[in-house]
Amino acid sequence: MNIAIVGAGLVGRVLALNLLRDGHTLTLFDKSSKEGTDAAGFTAAGMLAPFAELETAESVIFEHGRRSMELWPDLLKEAGVYDGCQLKGTIITAHPQDMSELEHFIGSLRYKVEEAKEIEMLSSQELAELEPDLAHHSKAFYLKDEGQVDSQRFMAFSTTTLDMDPNITWMEYTKVDKIESGKVYYGDKEQSFDWVFDSRGLGAKEHFDDLRGVRGEVFWLESSEINITRPTRLLHPRYKIYIVPRENGCEGMDLEYCQECKISQRPGTKRYVVGATELESEDTSPMSVRSSLELLSAVFSVHSGFGEARIVNTETNCRPAFKDNLPRIENSEKLTRINGLYRHGYLLAPAIVEKALNEGINKELK
């Protein structure tokens, strides 16, 4: 089939990889460049945390998340990334005065799903064995069935893979004005397809009147003194932060700039993505002073070595969400819309795309 994908961010790329597998011909429309650096999927830390997200999410997020974790390894290989998925678990800790917050957090997870009852509490000695650089924390929980996708590498490598495929036509810097059954309208043009996928995120407001943006901000820090190997969360009454190590890619290669990743990195350092704020705003301007102070104070309290880390980048973006903060799939004749992945993009995208395809185009083809 001749298929259009409107919106070539995270969901659009996962769609493309699935549809190419089935032999379709694709046209990718995006309002920005094919590099995808303006997409929320580039800003994201790429955490695969079905348990940790349960506190503020429905159980359906957990179920889709577990399925996505099964799908990501093959998807990454199809995108040309062979070392971009880490499944070594997540550490969740808190300061001594906030231990009740930590206990409540874990208790709510155990109440929601049976599998969460297996979450392990680590003593300071056990934590020191697992993550020596976090040994100064008195207690933590280990969510062993979690991990991360290197989101920046996925976006960079999928650009190259999709750009080289003869069955793909890129329409970058193309703002789509309207989508209808089997049709895409842009500028003064109208183009017909056998099927159209709308994965524009906030760009789909002309169709979804209850779609909103949730602003998120992250830091990229580099340090030669810290070696945290797993995603780590700090619980706090006012803010919850995560620290996600990027231990694949250019690390240890003594490269100041990686042509494949399109990212600069100081030789001998390890990169950490630190975030994320969650603000009810569609403002994509640079990070605020308040967010900077809170995030940097929190990461310094996790490990004082971050005081000498270098801030190499800040990223700000808006995540598409509906009132219930749940994803939405709409299938109709020759048209599928996928939206509202909120803060769960990498956790949900493969499973949601699989569900949308099975309920839409694949069902039609059968």
Side-chain angles (χ1 to χ4, degrees):
M1 298 178 77
N2 183 25
I3 296 171
I5 297 175
V6 185
L10 170 60
V11 171
R13 289 161 193 256
V14 173
L15 272 167
L17 292 169
N18 276 272
L19 292 166
L20 285 174
R21 191 188 303 149
D22 294 333
H24 300 293
T25 300
L26 311 178
T27 300
L28 305 184
F29 292 86
D30 201 273
K31 64 180 181 180
S32 299
S33 79
K34 65 178 71 172
E35 303 296 335
T37 52
D38 290 338
F42 178 84
T43 305
M47 294 181 71
L48 303 178
F51 289 94
E53 294 295 335
L54 259 179
E55 184 199 26
T56 56
E58 303 290 335
S59 57
V60 66
I61 301 296
F62 176 80
E63 293 159 7
H64 286 319
R66 295 294 292 271
R67 176 58 180 157
S68 288
M69 291 179 71
E70 296 173 353
L71 296 171
W72 263 121
D74 286 340
L75 267 175
L76 286 165
K77 289 176 184 175
E78 289 171 19
V81 188
Y82 292 88
D83 54 0
C85 189
Q86 180 233 70
L87 300 174
K88 298 197 299 183
T90 298
I91 301 293
I92 300 184
T93 189
H95 299 308
Q97 67 270 25
D98 299 325
M99 279 301 163
S100 60
E101 184 88 3
L102 182 59
E103 295 284 357
H104 175 77
F105 178 87
I106 298 299
S108 66
L109 307 192
R110 289 171 172 164
Y111 175 77
K112 286 191 173 183
V113 295
E114 187 70 24
E115 294 91 332
K117 292 178 180 177
E118 299 178 10
I119 294 174
E120 302 174 31
M121 185 180 77
L122 303 177
S123 65
S124 57
Q125 181 179 348
E126 291 170 325
L127 181 59
E129 292 173 0
L130 198 64
E131 288 288 351
D133 276 29
L134 297 176
H136 54 285
H137 289 274
S138 60
K139 188 167 65 173
F141 285 90
Y142 177 42
L143 283 62
K144 61 183 178 64
D145 295 321
E146 294 194 340
Q148 60 154 308
V149 169
D150 189 328
S151 47
Q152 289 78 40
R153 280 172 66 78
F154 171 71
M155 295 297 287
F157 277 69
S158 60
T159 297
T160 302
T161 297
L162 297 174
D163 201 28
M164 292 174 59
D165 196 296
N167 291 316
I168 284 188
T169 300
W170 276 95
M171 298 287 287
E172 57 181 340
Y173 300 113
T174 303
K175 185 181 183 303
V176 169
D177 302 308
K178 188 171 64 170
I179 297 172
E180 293 178 349
S181 175
K183 293 184 179 180
V184 176
Y185 298 85
Y186 56 100
D188 58 353
K189 298 179 181 178
E190 171 192 328
Q191 196 167 346
S192 297
F193 296 89
D194 297 321
W195 204 280
V196 178
F197 288 90
D198 182 357
S199 54
R200 290 175 292 171
L202 289 177
K205 277 195 165 186
E206 47 91 4
H207 176 75
F208 296 107
D209 57 10
D210 58 340
L211 187 65
R212 78 187 198 281
V214 180
R215 175 180 166 97
E217 302 153 311
V218 300
F219 278 104
W220 292 6
L221 305 181
E222 284 180 6
S223 173
S224 58
E225 301 176 4
I226 304 169
N227 185 33
I228 297 173
T229 65
R230 292 169 175 80
T232 299
R233 291 178 181 246
L234 174 72
L235 297 191
H236 185 278
R238 269 184 49 215
Y239 48 81
K240 298 176 175 64
I241 71 155
Y242 56 70
I243 302 167
V244 181
R246 292 290 191 238
E247 58 180 6
N248 295 321
C250 304
E251 185 195 348
M253 295 174 63
D254 293 327
L255 294 176
E256 292 188 3
Y257 182 78
C258 177
Q259 292 290 343
E260 291 181 320
C261 299
K262 306 294 190 295
I263 289 175
S264 299
Q265 184 161 346
R266 293 181 301 137
T269 63
K270 187 165 186 171
R271 173 164 293 161
Y272 298 89
V273 178
V274 178
T277 54
E278 190 174 343
L279 307 171
E280 291 291 336
S281 169
E282 295 183 15
D283 176 15
T284 57
S285 62
M287 187 181 294
S288 69
V289 171
R290 181 191 297 274
S291 296
S292 299
L293 289 170
E294 290 191 348
L295 289 175
L296 292 177
S297 296
V299 74
F300 177 74
S301 73
V302 173
H303 195 299
S304 59
F306 278 112
E308 294 302 317
R310 296 296 181 259
I311 302 170
V312 295
N313 191 23
T314 63
E315 290 282 337
T316 303
N317 223 309
C318 286
R319 298 157 290 197
F322 296 109
K323 289 181 180 179
D324 59 5
N325 293 335
L326 293 176
R328 190 177 299 176
I329 299 169
E330 289 186 1
N331 275 304
S332 57
E333 183 184 4
K334 297 184 178 182
L335 175 61
T336 298
R337 300 182 192 267
I338 305 173
N339 216 314
L341 271 66
Y342 183 39
R343 52 180 284 172
H344 311 300
Y346 281 85
L347 181 62
L348 295 183
I352 292 298
V353 165
E354 180 183 62
K355 186 173 189 289
L357 292 174
N358 289 337
E359 292 177 354
I361 188 172
N362 291 346
K363 184 177 179 180
E364 185 75 15
L365 287 171
K366 289 178 181 178

